[in-house]
Structure formats: C-alpha cells, structure tokens
Amino acid sequence: MEKVAQNQLCHRKAIEAAVHSVEKSLEIAPADPHRPAYHVSPSVNWMNDPNGLIFYKGEYHLFYQYNPFSPQWGNIHWAHCKSKDLIHWEQLPIALAPSEDYDKDGCFSGSAVEHEGKLYLFYTGNVFTTPTGLPDDLLQQQCVAVSEDGVNFRKDSANPVIPAPPAHIGQTNHFRDPKVWSHGGKWYMVLGARHNHLGKVLLYQSDDLLHWEFKSVVTESQGSEGYMYECPDLFALGGRDFLLLCPEGMEGEGQIAGYYSGLLNYSAGTYEHGDFTKLDEGFEFYAPQTMTDANGRRLMIGWMPMDGHSLGKTWAGCMTLPRELLHEGDGRLRFQPAEELKQLRKRHSSVRDYAVTEGELHSFPEVEGDCLEMILQFNLQRSDASEIAVHVRSSSDSQECTVLQANLSEGKVSFDRTRSGRGPGGIKECRLEAGLGDMLQLHIFLDRSTVELFINDGVRVMSGLVFPDPESIGIRFSAKGGTAYIHDLQFWTLQ
C-alpha cells in the first residue's frame, strides 16, 4: 500500500509540473489569428491523437496526446476536456503524466470505457531503451488508470496489464494504441502491432479489464499496406463490423487513415473484410477515434497535425469537427458533421439560381469570412462547365486563395493550397462517385486555419490546414469550359 501511495504522489507531482509549464507558456503566448475558434485545439504547445473519446455521466469526454512543455512532439501526456454539446469544450486538468518505470517516456494513445460507474483509461506506456532517435528504441506496454469522478486518475498497481505481445506475433517496440469495448458480457481490445516489417491488428479478451488473453490477429499487411498499423478502432454499425486503422509506410501514401468493412467472429477471433478505404482524402487527418453516445450515434474525431515550430506558432495541431458515421448497408461509411454544429450558426445569407460564367471570379455580398459554414449545390443538368471552383480565404487581389474544385469531365474533386499562404502547400484529389445525378453538393467549414469539405452528403471528405494572411477572407466562384449554375447556396458565419 505504501508503494501505491508513493506512486500516486509521483503522478500528482508530474501533473503539477506539467500544469505549471502550461501556465507559464500561456503568460507569454501571443494571440494568433490562425488558432481555430470552434475546433478543439491547445491554447499552447503540442497536440496529437484523440484518446479516450467517451460519453460518460451525461457529458462527452475527449482526451488527447499533449506535450505541456513544447509546441513540438515529445514528453507525451494525456490532456482532457469535456462538453455537454460537442461544441463548447471545458478544459480539465491533465489526466495522465509519465511518472512510472513503465511509462516514464510517454503515456501514448489509448481509449476509455465505463465500468461500474468508474472511468477506465487504457494507454500505452512508452520507454526509450536505447539513445533517443533510433528507429526502434521503444518498449511499449499496455496500462490502465481508473477514476471515480472522471477527472482524477489513479494508475492501477497491476500495470502493465499487457507487458508484451506473444513473441511470434509482434515486437514490444511497436505494440500500442489499445481500443477497448464490451460485447456479449466480455471485454475486448484491439492493438496495433508490427512484426517482420508488417503491420498487424491484435485482438485480446478479458473478463475484468485487468487480465487479458491474446485471441488472434484480426488483420495484417500483405506487404503493400504498410509496416505498422496504428490506432485501430473496431465497432459494429448497420450490420457490419468496421475496423479503422492508420497504416504506416503504405505505398504511395504519407500519413493516412482508413477502414475495412467486414464481419468479426468473436468466438473464433476471425475477421473477414473487404478492401481498405480512406476515411478522409485531404491533407491532414490521422489517428481517428470513435464512440457511441446516448442517442446511439457513432461519432468520430480525428487529428489535424501541423508543424507549429516551422510556422512560428506556440501551439500545434487541432481536432476535426465531430463527425457522425452512417452506414446504409453497402459496406461504405458516410460522414456527416454532428448535428449540434448548427448551434454555431449566426448571420445567414443565401443565393439561388445563379449563373457562374467563364472568365471571371464571382462573389456575393456578405459571403466572406474565416469562420463559416457554406452548403453549395450546383445544378449539373443545367451546367455545361467542365470545371467548377470555390476560392476560399481569398485576398482582395485573388493572388492568395485556397481552391476547392470539381473537375466534372474527369470526375474528381481537388483541394489546392499552392497559393494558400504559409504552410506546406500541395494538391489533393479524390474521385467522385459514378452517376452523380443532377446535383453536386459541397459542404464547407472554415475555421481560421482549418478547411473541411464534405462532398455529396459526406460520401467523400477532404480536410486540411491553411495559413493565409488574416485579411484574406474573400470567397469567389469560377467556372471553366462553360457556365456553372448554382442551384442553391446557404451561408452562415459561425460563432
């Protein structure tokens, strides 16, 4: 008991040191016109993966990877915030700090469950075993912390509850990101792993959340799908079992997140699934996590990474908007902005039946800004343009802008930030669904530096960060190869 009390004291002191560092950073951090207004983002310092996403005792809880000492990755803690409505978030005390032999170099990603009124956090304890910077200098073990009030957490004396994967299954230096859920009176966990340069997702089973039995490998890379599977999340929706994961080293890709659609046989531990599908086809979207709320919705939040240091920022990264996942029986997910976001709507403007002619940039009074929502429908039956584009965060001379463009002749949408100001630039493209019908819908959210585009009721989504001049708030429309007809445009500034 004395050792347990001593460990709890060490944890509290580690949290106090982190809080003190954040407070000192806040004293000198300048106001930043690029820091998002209605997305979850850190006031100062580094943020990455969403963790522990859960609806607990009537409130939404979101934990996330956080470095309280720097706007760069390192010294990873779990920060914590909560909300009653998914849009107004209250920052809570840091939940987890490195303090034990098994997590002294980081409390890495994980998840949360409720059991007997208590909130359990599952996370990966990280230890550097050789000089920092080598590619495989990690010892990773699975740990648990428990809270009775949802704010203050005690690391369990049984930690690490999973010290290593079976030797023939994975490596202890790439063994992380536990996602836990209940099914049929038992607890289950999926973990990302790596073995012989192939990514794997491992399935575990438990009766009490503390003693875990390895059950199976539910999926693994065949070589082209990456050398490590991070941040797995397995859930049932609409008669299918969806497995979200982030493959590292997937051929031709950078940081991506996607999913498999299939059926999990719990007794056999087998998972039959189809092809890998991207969750978001833009620039910044990684490490998504999902939860079910009191209304039965499956909600997802992802991380939008950024290099704050190179941009001269005192903060780095933000979360995406909460997205509801929908499955209509075809094995494909569709994504909708959470209904609660409508509460942010303020000043409204609308335009109907407008011809966007070739050779000029069109704009409308009061349709401008950097914190806004816009739902745009183009009438494809009337339009003969080959390309339709929306220019957002545009300067007065149109030299700076971010372009969201539909190439109708090639059947694709592009997100072009080559003229978006500071930042990495680049162009991303995604294919449009075959058989578009009479309308093309673009649903756009801007939040200072964030751009989130939902295409055709969320069949495709593209997310990215841009860092234009704060005065670049124009919105303009253009067409190429003919005339494009705006059937309906609904615009709101957001609180």
Side-chain angles (χ1 to χ4, degrees), residues 229-249:
Y229 284 170
E230 293 194 307
C231 305
D233 185 350
L234 201 154
F235 57 87
L237 183 65
R240 303 284 288 180
D241 295 306
F242 291 91
L243 174 61
L244 277 52
L245 56 88
C246 297
E248 288 188 295

Side-chain angles (χ1 to χ4, degrees), residues 1-2 15 17 22 26 29 46 76 112 192 202 238 241 261 295 308 313 364 368 392 396 421 444 470 474 488:
M1 290 297 293
E2 183 178 345
I15 289 175
V22 173
L26 284 170
W46 171 272
I76 294 298
L202 313 183
D241 295 306
S261 172
N295 298 316
K313 305 296 187 184
F364 307 107
E368 63 177 20
V392 301
S396 57
I444 301 166
D488 183 71

Side-chain angles (χ1 to χ4, degrees), residues 181 183 233-244 259-266 271-277 298 325-333:
W181 74 100
H183 175 84
D233 185 350
L234 201 154
F235 57 87
L237 183 65
R240 303 284 288 180
D241 295 306
F242 291 91
L243 174 61
L244 277 52
Y259 68 91
Y260 291 118
S261 172
L263 294 173
L264 175 64
N265 184 318
Y266 278 87
Y271 180 62
E272 301 293 332
H273 61 77
D275 295 333
F276 182 82
T277 303
R298 177 62 61 169
L325 304 186
L326 303 172
H327 174 230
E328 296 169 349
D330 58 356
R332 294 289 300 272
L333 291 172

Side-chain angles (χ1 to χ4, degrees), residues 421-480:
R422 299 184 65 194
I427 300 173
K428 287 284 188 177
E429 295 181 340
C430 72
R431 304 298 304 180
L432 289 167
E433 293 291 298
L436 277 174
D438 293 341
M439 295 290 172
L440 170 66
Q441 185 190 83
L442 304 178
H443 191 170
I444 301 166
F445 287 85
L446 301 184
D447 187 5
R448 295 179 179 164
S449 55
T450 73
V451 181
E452 291 177 76
L453 169 64
F454 297 79
I455 304 166
N456 289 341
D457 287 321
V459 173
R460 297 277 191 274
V461 187
M462 304 182 81
S463 304
L465 294 170
V466 296
F467 300 93
D469 187 293
E471 300 300 316
S472 296
I473 59 171
I475 298 178
R476 297 178 174 86
F477 305 84
S478 66
K480 184 177 179 180

Side-chain angles (χ1 to χ4, degrees), residues 211-375:
H211 300 88
W212 291 89
E213 174 190 358
F214 171 74
K215 194 164 183 66
S216 65
V217 176
V218 293
T219 193
E220 59 188 325
S221 170
Q222 300 303 308
S224 62
E225 303 91 349
Y227 55 75
M228 172 64 191
Y229 284 170
E230 293 194 307
C231 305
D233 185 350
L234 201 154
F235 57 87
L237 183 65
R240 303 284 288 180
D241 295 306
F242 291 91
L243 174 61
L244 277 52
L245 56 88
C246 297
E248 288 188 295
M250 194 169 185
E251 291 182 4
E253 301 286 353
Q255 277 192 326
I256 65 166
Y259 68 91
Y260 291 118
S261 172
L263 294 173
L264 175 64
N265 184 318
Y266 278 87
S267 59
T270 57
Y271 180 62
E272 301 293 332
H273 61 77
D275 295 333
F276 182 82
T277 303
K278 290 183 182 180
L279 284 160
D280 188 295
E281 307 208 44
F283 294 96
E284 280 89 25
F285 182 87
Y286 198 70
Q289 190 164 110
T290 73
M291 69 174 173
T292 302
D293 72 358
N295 298 316
R297 296 181 300 175
R298 177 62 61 169
L299 298 171
M300 178 180 73
I301 293 177
W303 167 48
M304 300 181 74
M306 66 180 254
D307 184 353
H309 179 72
S310 70
L311 291 165
K313 305 296 187 184
T314 58
W315 61 280
C318 70
M319 297 302 166
T320 65
L321 295 174
R323 302 173 184 179
E324 182 179 1
L325 304 186
L326 303 172
H327 174 230
E328 296 169 349
D330 58 356
R332 294 289 300 272
L333 291 172
R334 190 160 59 84
F335 313 92
Q336 288 287 290
E339 186 74 13
E340 288 87 342
L341 292 165
K342 292 178 180 178
Q343 297 175 44
L344 294 172
R345 292 173 175 175
K346 291 300 179 185
R347 179 175 55 81
H348 176 247
S349 301
S350 63
V351 176
R352 288 187 63 86
D353 199 23
Y354 182 90
V356 179
T357 53
E358 185 174 16
E360 61 179 312
L361 292 172
H362 299 250
S363 61
F364 307 107
E366 296 191 329
V367 177
E368 63 177 20
D370 63 355
C371 289
L372 59 89
E373 177 186 2
M374 181 166 57
I375 303 176

